[in-house]
Amino acid sequence: MIANNALLLLLLVLAVAGGWTLARGGLRMDDAGRAQLPSQYYRGFNFLLDGEEEDAIDAFTEALSVNEETLDTHIALGSVLRKRGEVDRAIRIHQNLLARSHLTVVQLHQVHLELARDFIAAGLYDRAEQLLRDLSDESPDLNATAQRHLLEVFEAQREWSEAVVTAENLIALSLSEDPLAAGHGQSAHQLRCHYLCEQAEVAITAQDSSSARQYYHDALRDNGNDLRARIGLANASLLEGSSKEALEHFEVIMASGRACTPELLDLLSRICADQAGDSAYSAVLQRYYEQQPAPLLALTLAAELEAEKDRAAADDFLRLTLADNPSVAVATALLLSGLPEENDQPERRILEQLTQNKQGYACDHCGFTGQSRHWRCPGCRHWDSIHYLGAVPQDAHV
Ligand SMILES: [Zn+2]
């Protein structure tokens, strides 16, 4: 923090001194700024000499008069303070800019945007929302940026229906080829889908499965393979007693190419528990494995074969898979199977740990790890960026 303060102070001193020099050279500068400059400037140095860096920053900021040349410096300074967590001071700087009457409409919009960002950082969502809605109406150039920030406001407050409307506005803007609409952040199509799934989950908590279904089906509008919506529909079908329909949704998940995870196998096992015939689960697992030869699926299918037939059948199957899909987890399971039942040596415990599905989940975007899937990363707040670590089909060389 001390190094950051020193750098910030240096930049401020240079900015103020630079502005003052320009003014003395006869370039444009407002009279008030010219009159105030020396006293505020030296007051800042006094604070600095007394070791009061925070007060020194405030004094230099006041010394930096507001005009066309220094507006960007003020905005940048407020932004730096906001990123350092000093939101109150950022708000003070940006509100001080608004008090100046000579700002052009474009500059006024720029300052409103910064102030809205400050309000979001401070958790003052109502005030941010009002500013952003006005910006969206009044500034075609900042419309897409304002809508992106509105999404932050609605996500933070879990106002999912408002978030859906805003995501649709962004989709419409991207269709009109506004490059900023698609420029930063995640795709508005993907965000809309997650907001609808959030609404569906709220409906399921309220035991309104009919509304939940509508939200899930709406979520599939842009991507019929969406994993979250398909899992939701399969669960909703199970709740309503229709395992056949649940299996149809699961078949779409299988064909979509998304990696198999323990939670998907749990869902499949619940679906098949309601199906006619004892081998329904292993039959679907077999087809799943043919589409996606992952160790997790091979081991699950082997456990089913052992339950239905015997251990020899399970071992034969695992050995066959190794030819085309070498895997440490599968080879370890075979070694473990060869150990005598009464063996209680440490190597058994180590081998057992290797075959258990404890790989967990990790975020592709920020590296956050955990033992369960989050649809929104708790670390970086990205949607659907968390993936199962045990999904690599061939892990023999890992
Ligand atoms: Zn993350």
Side-chain angles (χ1 to χ4, degrees):
M1 181 64 88
I2 288 170
N4 282 345
N5 271 348
L7 186 61
L8 192 60
L9 279 164
L10 177 66
L11 290 174
L12 270 171
V13 169
L14 290 175
V16 177
W20 190 56
T21 310
L22 286 175
R24 284 180 60 99
L27 292 179
R28 184 169 33 148
M29 187 161 189
D30 58 58
D31 290 342
R34 192 186 306 198
Q36 277 179 8
L37 182 59
S39 67
Q40 298 285 13
Y41 193 53
Y42 292 114
R43 202 160 68 89
F45 270 118
N46 279 334
F47 281 128
L48 204 52
L49 289 171
D50 291 342
E52 295 168 17
E53 292 184 354
E54 304 294 321
D55 289 333
I57 291 174
D58 284 342
F60 283 124
T61 307
E62 284 171 32
L64 186 63
S65 68
V66 179
N67 58 37
E68 206 169 306
E69 285 81 22
T70 61
L71 183 78
D72 286 343
T73 311
H74 278 273
I75 286 178
L77 177 64
S79 164
V80 168
L81 289 172
R82 182 175 65 241
K83 283 172 187 160
R84 284 169 31 142
E86 297 173 52
V87 183
D88 288 349
R89 297 170 78 197
I91 290 175
R92 218 162 53 229
I93 286 176
H94 292 137
Q95 279 179 330
N96 183 39
L97 290 179
L98 287 183
R100 311 292 167 138
S101 57
H102 56 263
L103 294 183
T104 65
V105 174
V106 172
Q107 289 169 336
L108 197 65
H109 287 159
Q110 244 184 311
V111 179
H112 276 169
L113 179 63
E114 289 304 318
L115 204 49
R117 287 170 170 157
D118 297 339
F119 287 148
I120 291 174
L124 300 168
Y125 297 117
D126 287 352
R127 297 177 74 179
E129 181 182 340
Q130 191 54 54
L131 276 177
L132 293 166
R133 283 195 189 280
D134 291 348
L135 261 183
S136 167
D137 290 341
E138 294 166 14
S139 168
D141 287 345
L142 293 177
N143 186 8
T145 306
Q147 306 259 4
R148 281 275 169 190
H149 286 304
L150 275 173
L151 286 183
E152 287 178 54
V153 169
F154 298 138
E155 285 183 5
Q157 299 182 100
R158 304 181 66 78
E159 288 181 5
W160 304 120
S161 58
E162 293 281 7
V164 170
V165 172
T166 310
E168 283 174 349
N169 288 342
L170 276 166
I171 291 169
L173 278 175
S174 66
L175 291 176
S176 67
E177 296 184 351
D178 181 337
L180 281 174
H184 50 94
Q186 292 189 266
S187 115
H189 293 277
Q190 191 184 8
L191 293 176
R192 176 184 179 276
C193 177
H194 280 287
Y195 301 150
L196 285 161
C197 289
E198 290 286 346
Q199 281 185 285
E201 284 168 18
V202 172
I204 280 185
T205 308
Q207 299 189 325
D208 180 1
S209 65
S210 156
S211 298
R213 278 175 171 281
Q214 283 176 11
Y215 288 129
Y216 281 133
H217 278 294
D218 198 1
L220 293 173
R221 184 192 76 177
D222 300 317
N223 174 13
N225 288 336
D226 183 76
L227 180 63
R228 186 177 183 184
R230 286 290 172 187
I231 290 177
L233 280 169
N235 275 319
S237 304
L238 275 184
L239 277 175
E240 291 167 1
S242 174
S243 61
K244 184 170 171 289
E245 195 181 297
L247 186 58
E248 285 168 9
H249 291 299
F250 200 89
E251 298 274 357
V252 178
I253 294 173
M254 280 167 54
S256 74
R258 284 289 293 253
C260 179
T261 63
E263 59 173 340
L264 283 175
L265 288 178
D266 173 61
L267 173 60
L268 181 60
S269 140
R270 285 187 288 118
I271 292 171
C272 292
D274 278 359
Q275 300 276 306
D278 290 339
S279 60
Y281 185 40
S282 60
V284 182
L285 278 176
Q286 181 69 50
R287 282 193 289 119
Y288 204 171
Y289 180 75
E290 282 162 14
Q291 292 179 18
Q292 191 180 123
L296 175 63
L297 275 167
L299 293 170
T300 310
L301 186 50
E304 284 301 300
L305 285 174
E306 184 176 348
E308 284 172 19
K309 297 177 183 170
D310 52 28
R311 181 177 288 182
D315 286 355
D316 286 347
F317 164 73
L318 286 178
R319 222 164 260 122
L320 265 177
T321 69
L322 286 178
D324 291 329
N325 304 296
S327 154
V328 169
V330 171
T332 307
L334 278 167
L335 282 177
L336 199 55
S337 173
L339 288 180
E341 290 284 344
E342 61 277 11
N343 181 316
D344 193 27
Q345 298 301 311
E347 66 265 29
R348 170 176 280 278
R349 286 195 295 279
I350 293 169
L351 290 176
E352 279 172 349
Q353 279 171 10
L354 275 174
T355 56
Q356 285 166 1
N357 301 311
K358 292 271 172 70
Q359 287 94 336
Y361 295 77
C363 173
D364 294 341
H365 193 247
C366 73
F368 171 89
T369 55
Q371 282 305 310
S372 58
R373 181 199 291 281
H374 297 271
W375 290 111
R376 192 178 189 204
C377 174
C380 64
R381 317 302 288 160
H382 259 232
W383 292 92
D384 200 12
S385 59
I386 289 187
H387 294 101
Y388 179 55
L389 287 170
V392 184
Q394 298 180 358
D395 58 358
H397 36 271
V398 174

Coordinates of all heavy atoms in Angstrom, one line a residue, residues 196-274:
L196 N -32.3 -17.6 -16.5 CA -33.6 -18.4 -16.5 C -33.5 -19.6 -15.7 O -34.5 -20.0 -15.0 CB -33.9 -18.7 -18.0 CG -34.4 -17.5 -18.8 CD1 -34.3 -17.8 -20.3 CD2 -35.9 -17.2 -18.5
C197 N -32.3 -20.3 -15.6 CA -32.2 -21.5 -14.8 C -32.3 -21.0 -13.3 O -32.8 -21.8 -12.5 CB -30.9 -22.2 -15.0 SG -30.8 -23.0 -16.6
E198 N -31.7 -19.9 -13.0 CA -31.9 -19.4 -11.6 C -33.4 -19.2 -11.2 O -33.8 -19.6 -10.2 CB -31.1 -18.1 -11.4 CG -29.6 -18.2 -11.5 CD -29.0 -18.8 -10.2 OE1 -29.7 -18.9 -9.2 OE2 -27.8 -19.2 -10.3
Q199 N -34.1 -18.6 -12.2 CA -35.6 -18.4 -12.0 C -36.3 -19.8 -11.8 O -37.1 -19.9 -10.9 CB -36.2 -17.7 -13.1 CG -35.9 -16.2 -13.1 CD -36.6 -15.4 -14.2 OE1 -36.2 -15.5 -15.3 NE2 -37.7 -14.8 -13.9
A200 N -35.8 -20.7 -12.6 CA -36.5 -22.1 -12.5 C -36.2 -22.7 -11.1 O -37.1 -23.3 -10.5 CB -35.9 -23.0 -13.6
E201 N -35.0 -22.5 -10.6 CA -34.7 -23.1 -9.3 C -35.4 -22.4 -8.2 O -35.8 -23.1 -7.2 CB -33.1 -23.0 -9.1 CG -32.4 -24.1 -9.9 CD -30.9 -23.9 -9.9 OE1 -30.3 -23.2 -9.1 OE2 -30.3 -24.5 -10.8
V202 N -35.7 -21.1 -8.3 CA -36.5 -20.4 -7.4 C -37.9 -21.0 -7.4 O -38.6 -21.3 -6.4 CB -36.6 -18.9 -7.6 CG1 -37.6 -18.2 -6.8 CG2 -35.2 -18.3 -7.5
A203 N -38.4 -21.3 -8.6 CA -39.8 -21.8 -8.8 C -39.8 -23.2 -8.2 O -40.8 -23.6 -7.6 CB -40.1 -21.9 -10.3
I204 N -38.8 -24.0 -8.4 CA -38.8 -25.4 -7.8 C -38.8 -25.3 -6.3 O -39.5 -26.1 -5.6 CB -37.6 -26.2 -8.3 CG1 -37.9 -26.7 -9.8 CG2 -37.2 -27.4 -7.4 CD1 -36.9 -27.6 -10.4
T205 N -38.1 -24.4 -5.7 CA -38.1 -24.2 -4.3 C -39.5 -23.9 -3.8 O -39.9 -24.3 -2.7 CB -37.1 -23.1 -3.8 OG1 -35.8 -23.4 -4.4 CG2 -36.9 -23.0 -2.3
A206 N -40.2 -23.1 -4.6 CA -41.6 -22.8 -4.3 C -42.6 -23.9 -4.7 O -43.8 -23.7 -4.7 CB -42.0 -21.4 -4.9
Q207 N -42.0 -25.0 -5.1 CA -42.8 -26.2 -5.5 C -43.7 -25.9 -6.7 O -44.8 -26.4 -6.8 CB -43.6 -26.8 -4.4 CG -42.7 -27.2 -3.3 CD -43.4 -28.0 -2.2 OE1 -44.6 -27.7 -1.9 NE2 -42.8 -29.0 -1.6
D208 N -43.3 -25.0 -7.6 CA -44.0 -24.6 -8.8 C -43.3 -25.2 -10.0 O -42.6 -24.5 -10.7 CB -44.1 -23.1 -8.9 CG -44.9 -22.6 -10.1 OD1 -45.4 -23.5 -10.9 OD2 -45.0 -21.4 -10.3
S209 N -43.4 -26.5 -10.2 CA -42.6 -27.2 -11.2 C -43.1 -26.8 -12.6 O -42.3 -26.8 -13.6 CB -42.7 -28.7 -11.1 OG -44.0 -29.2 -11.3
S210 N -44.3 -26.4 -12.8 CA -44.8 -26.0 -14.1 C -44.1 -24.7 -14.6 O -43.6 -24.6 -15.7 CB -46.3 -25.7 -14.0 OG -46.8 -24.9 -15.0
S211 N -43.9 -23.7 -13.7 CA -43.2 -22.5 -14.1 C -41.7 -22.8 -14.3 O -41.1 -22.3 -15.2 CB -43.3 -21.4 -13.0 OG -44.6 -21.0 -12.8
A212 N -41.2 -23.7 -13.5 CA -39.8 -24.1 -13.6 C -39.5 -24.7 -15.0 O -38.5 -24.4 -15.7 CB -39.4 -25.1 -12.5
R213 N -40.4 -25.6 -15.4 CA -40.3 -26.2 -16.8 C -40.3 -25.1 -17.9 O -39.5 -25.1 -18.8 CB -41.5 -27.1 -17.1 CG -41.3 -28.4 -16.5 CD -42.6 -29.2 -16.7 NE -42.4 -30.6 -16.4 CZ -41.7 -31.5 -17.1 NH1 -41.3 -31.1 -18.3 NH2 -41.5 -32.7 -16.7
Q214 N -41.2 -24.1 -17.7 CA -41.2 -23.0 -18.7 C -39.9 -22.3 -18.8 O -39.3 -22.0 -19.9 CB -42.3 -22.0 -18.4 CG -43.7 -22.6 -18.8 CD -44.8 -21.7 -18.4 OE1 -44.6 -20.5 -18.0 NE2 -46.0 -22.2 -18.4
Y215 N -39.3 -22.0 -17.6 CA -38.0 -21.3 -17.6 C -36.9 -22.1 -18.2 O -36.1 -21.6 -19.0 CB -37.7 -20.9 -16.1 CG -38.5 -19.8 -15.5 CD1 -39.1 -20.0 -14.2 CD2 -38.7 -18.6 -16.1 CE1 -39.8 -19.0 -13.6 CE2 -39.4 -17.6 -15.5 CZ -40.0 -17.8 -14.3 OH -40.7 -16.8 -13.7
Y216 N -36.9 -23.4 -17.8 CA -35.9 -24.3 -18.4 C -36.0 -24.4 -19.9 O -35.0 -24.3 -20.6 CB -36.0 -25.7 -17.8 CG -35.4 -25.8 -16.4 CD1 -36.0 -26.4 -15.4 CD2 -34.1 -25.3 -16.1 CE1 -35.5 -26.5 -14.1 CE2 -33.5 -25.4 -14.9 CZ -34.2 -26.0 -13.9 OH -33.7 -26.1 -12.6
H217 N -37.2 -24.5 -20.4 CA -37.4 -24.6 -21.9 C -37.0 -23.3 -22.6 O -36.4 -23.3 -23.6 CB -38.9 -25.0 -22.2 CG -39.1 -26.5 -22.1 ND1 -38.5 -27.4 -22.9 CD2 -39.9 -27.2 -21.2 CE1 -38.9 -28.6 -22.5 NE2 -39.7 -28.5 -21.5
D218 N -37.3 -22.2 -21.9 CA -36.9 -20.9 -22.5 C -35.4 -20.8 -22.5 O -34.8 -20.3 -23.4 CB -37.5 -19.8 -21.6 CG -37.5 -18.4 -22.3 OD1 -37.1 -18.4 -23.5 OD2 -37.9 -17.4 -21.7
A219 N -34.7 -21.4 -21.5 CA -33.3 -21.3 -21.4 C -32.6 -22.1 -22.5 O -31.5 -21.8 -22.9 CB -32.8 -21.9 -20.0
L220 N -33.4 -23.1 -23.1 CA -32.8 -23.9 -24.2 C -33.0 -23.2 -25.5 O -32.5 -23.8 -26.5 CB -33.5 -25.3 -24.2 CG -33.2 -26.2 -23.0 CD1 -34.1 -27.4 -23.1 CD2 -31.8 -26.6 -23.0
R221 N -33.6 -22.0 -25.5 CA -33.9 -21.3 -26.8 C -32.6 -21.2 -27.7 O -32.6 -21.5 -28.9 CB -34.5 -20.0 -26.5 CG -34.9 -19.2 -27.7 CD -35.2 -17.8 -27.4 NE -34.0 -17.0 -27.3 CZ -34.0 -15.7 -27.0 NH1 -35.1 -15.0 -26.9 NH2 -32.8 -15.0 -26.9
D222 N -31.5 -20.7 -27.1 CA -30.3 -20.5 -27.9 C -29.4 -21.7 -28.0 O -28.5 -21.7 -28.8 CB -29.5 -19.3 -27.3 CG -30.4 -18.0 -27.3 OD1 -31.1 -17.8 -28.3 OD2 -30.4 -17.3 -26.3
N223 N -29.5 -22.6 -27.0 CA -28.6 -23.8 -27.0 C -29.4 -25.0 -26.4 O -29.5 -25.1 -25.2 CB -27.3 -23.5 -26.2 CG -26.5 -24.7 -26.1 OD1 -26.6 -25.7 -26.8 ND2 -25.5 -24.7 -25.2
G224 N -29.9 -25.8 -27.3 CA -30.7 -27.0 -26.9 C -29.9 -28.0 -26.1 O -30.5 -28.8 -25.4
N225 N -28.6 -27.9 -26.1 CA -27.8 -28.8 -25.3 C -27.4 -28.3 -24.0 O -26.6 -28.9 -23.3 CB -26.5 -29.1 -26.1 CG -26.7 -30.0 -27.3 OD1 -27.7 -30.7 -27.4 ND2 -25.8 -29.9 -28.3
D226 N -27.9 -27.1 -23.6 CA -27.4 -26.5 -22.3 C -27.5 -27.5 -21.2 O -28.5 -28.0 -20.8 CB -28.1 -25.3 -22.0 CG -27.5 -24.6 -20.8 OD1 -26.4 -24.0 -20.9 OD2 -28.1 -24.8 -19.7
L227 N -26.3 -27.8 -20.5 CA -26.2 -28.8 -19.5 C -27.1 -28.5 -18.3 O -27.9 -29.3 -17.8 CB -24.8 -28.9 -19.0 CG -24.5 -29.9 -17.9 CD1 -24.8 -31.3 -18.4 CD2 -23.0 -29.8 -17.5
R228 N -27.0 -27.2 -17.8 CA -27.8 -26.9 -16.6 C -29.3 -27.0 -16.8 O -30.0 -27.6 -16.0 CB -27.4 -25.4 -16.2 CG -28.0 -25.0 -14.9 CD -27.6 -23.6 -14.5 NE -28.2 -23.3 -13.2 CZ -28.0 -22.1 -12.6 NH1 -27.4 -21.2 -13.2 NH2 -28.6 -21.9 -11.4
A229 N -29.8 -26.5 -18.0 CA -31.2 -26.6 -18.2 C -31.7 -28.0 -18.4 O -32.7 -28.4 -17.9 CB -31.6 -25.8 -19.4
R230 N -30.8 -28.9 -19.1 CA -31.2 -30.3 -19.3 C -31.2 -31.0 -17.9 O -32.1 -31.9 -17.7 CB -30.2 -30.9 -20.2 CG -30.4 -30.5 -21.7 CD -31.7 -31.1 -22.3 NE -31.9 -30.6 -23.6 CZ -33.0 -30.8 -24.3 NH1 -34.0 -31.6 -23.8 NH2 -33.2 -30.3 -25.5
I231 N -30.2 -30.8 -17.1 CA -30.2 -31.4 -15.7 C -31.5 -31.0 -15.0 O -32.1 -31.8 -14.4 CB -28.9 -31.0 -14.9 CG1 -27.7 -31.7 -15.5 CG2 -29.1 -31.4 -13.5 CD1 -26.4 -31.3 -14.8
G232 N -31.8 -29.7 -15.1 CA -33.0 -29.2 -14.4 C -34.2 -29.9 -14.9 O -35.1 -30.3 -14.1
L233 N -34.4 -30.0 -16.2 CA -35.6 -30.7 -16.8 C -35.6 -32.1 -16.4 O -36.7 -32.7 -16.1 CB -35.6 -30.5 -18.3 CG -36.1 -29.1 -18.8 CD1 -35.8 -28.9 -20.3 CD2 -37.6 -29.0 -18.5
A234 N -34.5 -32.8 -16.4 CA -34.5 -34.2 -16.0 C -34.9 -34.4 -14.5 O -35.7 -35.2 -14.2 CB -33.1 -34.8 -16.2
N235 N -34.4 -33.5 -13.7 CA -34.8 -33.5 -12.3 C -36.3 -33.2 -12.1 O -37.0 -33.8 -11.3 CB -34.0 -32.5 -11.4 CG -32.7 -33.1 -11.0 OD1 -32.6 -34.3 -10.6 ND2 -31.6 -32.4 -11.1
A236 N -36.8 -32.2 -12.9 CA -38.2 -31.9 -12.8 C -39.1 -33.0 -13.3 O -40.1 -33.3 -12.7 CB -38.5 -30.6 -13.7
S237 N -38.6 -33.7 -14.3 CA -39.4 -34.9 -14.8 C -39.4 -36.0 -13.7 O -40.5 -36.6 -13.5 CB -38.8 -35.5 -16.1 OG -38.7 -34.5 -17.1
L238 N -38.3 -36.2 -13.1 CA -38.3 -37.2 -12.0 C -39.2 -36.9 -10.9 O -39.9 -37.7 -10.3 CB -36.8 -37.4 -11.4 CG -35.9 -38.3 -12.2 CD1 -34.6 -38.3 -11.4 CD2 -36.4 -39.7 -12.3
L239 N -39.2 -35.6 -10.5 CA -40.1 -35.1 -9.4 C -41.6 -35.4 -9.8 O -42.4 -35.7 -9.0 CB -40.0 -33.6 -9.2 CG -38.8 -33.2 -8.3 CD1 -38.7 -31.7 -8.3 CD2 -39.0 -33.7 -6.9
E240 N -41.9 -35.3 -11.1 CA -43.3 -35.5 -11.6 C -43.5 -37.0 -11.9 O -44.6 -37.4 -12.4 CB -43.6 -34.7 -12.8 CG -43.6 -33.2 -12.4 CD -43.6 -32.3 -13.6 OE1 -43.5 -32.8 -14.7 OE2 -43.6 -31.0 -13.4
G241 N -42.5 -37.9 -11.6 CA -42.7 -39.3 -11.8 C -42.5 -39.8 -13.2 O -42.9 -40.9 -13.5
S242 N -41.9 -39.0 -14.1 CA -41.7 -39.4 -15.5 C -40.2 -39.7 -15.7 O -39.5 -38.9 -16.2 CB -42.3 -38.4 -16.5 OG -41.9 -38.8 -17.8
S243 N -39.8 -41.0 -15.4 CA -38.4 -41.3 -15.6 C -38.1 -41.4 -17.1 O -37.0 -41.2 -17.5 CB -38.0 -42.6 -14.9 OG -38.8 -43.7 -15.4
K244 N -39.1 -41.8 -17.9 CA -38.9 -41.9 -19.4 C -38.5 -40.5 -20.0 O -37.5 -40.4 -20.7 CB -40.2 -42.4 -20.0 CG -40.1 -42.7 -21.5 CD -41.3 -43.4 -22.0 CE -41.4 -43.5 -23.5 NZ -41.6 -42.2 -24.1
E245 N -39.2 -39.5 -19.6 CA -38.9 -38.2 -20.1 C -37.6 -37.7 -19.5 O -36.8 -37.1 -20.2 CB -40.0 -37.2 -19.6 CG -40.0 -35.9 -20.4 CD -41.1 -35.0 -19.9 OE1 -42.3 -35.3 -20.0 OE2 -40.7 -33.9 -19.3
A246 N -37.3 -38.1 -18.2 CA -36.0 -37.7 -17.6 C -34.9 -38.3 -18.4 O -33.9 -37.6 -18.7 CB -36.0 -38.1 -16.2
L247 N -35.1 -39.6 -18.8 CA -34.0 -40.2 -19.6 C -33.8 -39.6 -21.0 O -32.7 -39.5 -21.5 CB -34.4 -41.7 -19.8 CG -33.3 -42.6 -20.5 CD1 -32.0 -42.5 -19.7 CD2 -33.7 -44.0 -20.6
E248 N -34.9 -39.1 -21.6 CA -34.8 -38.4 -22.9 C -33.9 -37.1 -22.7 O -33.0 -36.8 -23.6 CB -36.2 -37.9 -23.4 CG -36.9 -39.1 -23.9 CD -38.4 -38.8 -24.2 OE1 -38.8 -37.6 -24.1 OE2 -39.2 -39.7 -24.5
H249 N -34.1 -36.4 -21.6 CA -33.2 -35.2 -21.4 C -31.8 -35.7 -21.1 O -30.8 -35.0 -21.6 CB -33.7 -34.4 -20.2 CG -35.0 -33.7 -20.4 ND1 -35.2 -32.8 -21.4 CD2 -36.2 -33.9 -19.8 CE1 -36.4 -32.4 -21.4 NE2 -37.1 -33.0 -20.5
F250 N -31.6 -36.8 -20.4 CA -30.2 -37.3 -20.1 C -29.5 -37.7 -21.4 O -28.3 -37.5 -21.6 CB -30.3 -38.4 -19.1 CG -28.9 -38.6 -18.5 CD1 -28.6 -37.9 -17.3 CD2 -28.0 -39.4 -19.0 CE1 -27.3 -38.0 -16.7 CE2 -26.7 -39.6 -18.5 CZ -26.4 -38.9 -17.3
E251 N -30.3 -38.3 -22.3 CA -29.7 -38.7 -23.6 C -29.1 -37.5 -24.4 O -28.1 -37.6 -25.0 CB -30.8 -39.4 -24.5 CG -31.4 -40.6 -24.0 CD -30.6 -41.9 -24.3 OE1 -29.6 -41.8 -25.0 OE2 -31.0 -43.0 -23.8
V252 N -29.8 -36.4 -24.3 CA -29.3 -35.1 -24.9 C -28.0 -34.7 -24.3 O -27.0 -34.3 -25.0 CB -30.3 -34.0 -24.8 CG1 -29.8 -32.7 -25.4 CG2 -31.7 -34.3 -25.5
I253 N -27.9 -34.8 -22.9 CA -26.7 -34.5 -22.2 C -25.5 -35.4 -22.7 O -24.4 -35.0 -23.0 CB -26.8 -34.7 -20.7 CG1 -27.8 -33.6 -20.2 CG2 -25.5 -34.5 -20.0 CD1 -28.2 -33.8 -18.7
M254 N -25.8 -36.7 -22.8 CA -24.8 -37.7 -23.3 C -24.3 -37.4 -24.7 O -23.1 -37.4 -24.9 CB -25.4 -39.1 -23.3 CG -25.5 -39.8 -21.9 SD -26.6 -41.3 -21.9 CE -25.9 -42.2 -23.2
A255 N -25.2 -37.0 -25.5 CA -24.8 -36.7 -26.9 C -24.2 -35.4 -27.1 O -23.5 -35.1 -28.1 CB -26.1 -36.7 -27.8
S256 N -24.3 -34.5 -26.1 CA -23.8 -33.1 -26.2 C -22.2 -33.1 -26.1 O -21.6 -32.1 -26.5 CB -24.3 -32.2 -25.1 OG -23.8 -32.5 -23.8
G257 N -21.6 -34.1 -25.5 CA -20.2 -34.1 -25.4 C -19.6 -33.5 -24.1 O -18.4 -33.5 -23.9
R258 N -20.5 -33.0 -23.3 CA -20.0 -32.5 -22.0 C -19.5 -33.6 -21.1 O -20.1 -34.7 -21.1 CB -21.2 -31.8 -21.2 CG -21.5 -30.4 -21.8 CD -20.5 -29.4 -21.5 NE -20.3 -29.0 -20.1 CZ -20.8 -27.9 -19.5 NH1 -21.4 -27.0 -20.3 NH2 -20.6 -27.7 -18.3
A259 N -18.4 -33.4 -20.4 CA -17.8 -34.5 -19.6 C -18.7 -35.1 -18.6 O -19.4 -34.3 -17.9 CB -16.5 -33.9 -19.0
C260 N -18.6 -36.4 -18.4 CA -19.3 -37.1 -17.4 C -18.7 -36.7 -16.0 O -17.5 -36.6 -15.9 CB -19.2 -38.6 -17.6 SG -20.1 -39.5 -16.4
T261 N -19.6 -36.5 -15.0 CA -19.2 -36.2 -13.7 C -19.9 -37.1 -12.7 O -21.0 -37.7 -13.0 CB -19.5 -34.7 -13.4 OG1 -20.9 -34.6 -13.4 CG2 -18.9 -33.8 -14.4
P262 N -19.5 -37.1 -11.4 CA -20.2 -37.9 -10.4 C -21.6 -37.5 -10.3 O -22.5 -38.3 -10.1 CB -19.4 -37.7 -9.1 CG -18.0 -37.4 -9.6 CD -18.2 -36.6 -10.9
E263 N -21.9 -36.2 -10.4 CA -23.3 -35.7 -10.2 C -24.2 -36.2 -11.3 O -25.3 -36.5 -11.1 CB -23.3 -34.2 -10.1 CG -22.8 -33.5 -11.3 CD -23.0 -32.0 -11.4 OE1 -23.8 -31.5 -10.7 OE2 -22.2 -31.4 -12.2
L264 N -23.6 -36.3 -12.6 CA -24.4 -36.8 -13.7 C -24.7 -38.3 -13.5 O -25.8 -38.8 -13.8 CB -23.7 -36.5 -15.0 CG -23.7 -35.1 -15.5 CD1 -22.9 -35.0 -16.8 CD2 -25.2 -34.7 -15.8
L265 N -23.7 -39.0 -13.0 CA -23.9 -40.5 -12.8 C -25.0 -40.7 -11.7 O -25.8 -41.6 -11.7 CB -22.6 -41.1 -12.4 CG -21.6 -41.3 -13.5 CD1 -20.3 -41.9 -13.0 CD2 -22.2 -42.1 -14.7
D266 N -25.0 -39.8 -10.7 CA -26.0 -39.9 -9.6 C -27.4 -39.7 -10.2 O -28.3 -40.4 -9.9 CB -25.7 -38.9 -8.5 CG -26.8 -38.8 -7.5 OD1 -27.0 -39.8 -6.8 OD2 -27.4 -37.7 -7.3
L267 N -27.5 -38.7 -11.1 CA -28.8 -38.4 -11.8 C -29.2 -39.6 -12.6 O -30.4 -40.0 -12.5 CB -28.6 -37.1 -12.6 CG -29.8 -36.8 -13.5 CD1 -31.1 -36.5 -12.7 CD2 -29.5 -35.5 -14.4
L268 N -28.3 -40.2 -13.4 CA -28.6 -41.3 -14.2 C -29.0 -42.5 -13.4 O -30.0 -43.2 -13.7 CB -27.4 -41.7 -15.1 CG -27.6 -42.8 -16.1 CD1 -28.7 -42.5 -17.1 CD2 -26.3 -43.2 -16.8
S269 N -28.4 -42.7 -12.3 CA -28.7 -43.8 -11.4 C -30.2 -43.6 -10.9 O -30.9 -44.6 -10.8 CB -27.7 -44.0 -10.3 OG -28.2 -44.3 -9.1
R270 N -30.5 -42.4 -10.5 CA -31.9 -42.2 -10.0 C -32.9 -42.4 -11.1 O -34.0 -42.8 -10.9 CB -32.0 -40.7 -9.4 CG -31.3 -40.6 -8.1 CD -31.5 -39.3 -7.4 NE -30.8 -38.2 -8.0 CZ -31.3 -37.2 -8.6 NH1 -32.6 -37.0 -8.6 NH2 -30.6 -36.2 -9.1
I271 N -32.6 -42.0 -12.4 CA -33.5 -42.1 -13.5 C -33.7 -43.6 -13.7 O -34.8 -44.1 -13.9 CB -32.9 -41.5 -14.8 CG1 -32.9 -39.9 -14.6 CG2 -33.7 -41.8 -16.0 CD1 -32.2 -39.2 -15.7
C272 N -32.6 -44.4 -13.8 CA -32.7 -45.8 -14.1 C -33.3 -46.6 -13.0 O -33.9 -47.7 -13.3 CB -31.3 -46.4 -14.5 SG -30.7 -45.7 -16.0
A273 N -33.3 -46.1 -11.8 CA -33.9 -46.9 -10.7 C -35.4 -47.0 -10.9 O -36.0 -48.0 -10.4 CB -33.7 -46.1 -9.4
D274 N -36.0 -46.1 -11.7 CA -37.4 -46.1 -12.0 C -37.7 -46.9 -13.3 O -38.9 -47.1 -13.6 CB -38.0 -44.7 -12.1 CG -38.3 -44.1 -10.8 OD1 -38.1 -44.8 -9.8 OD2 -38.7 -42.9 -10.7

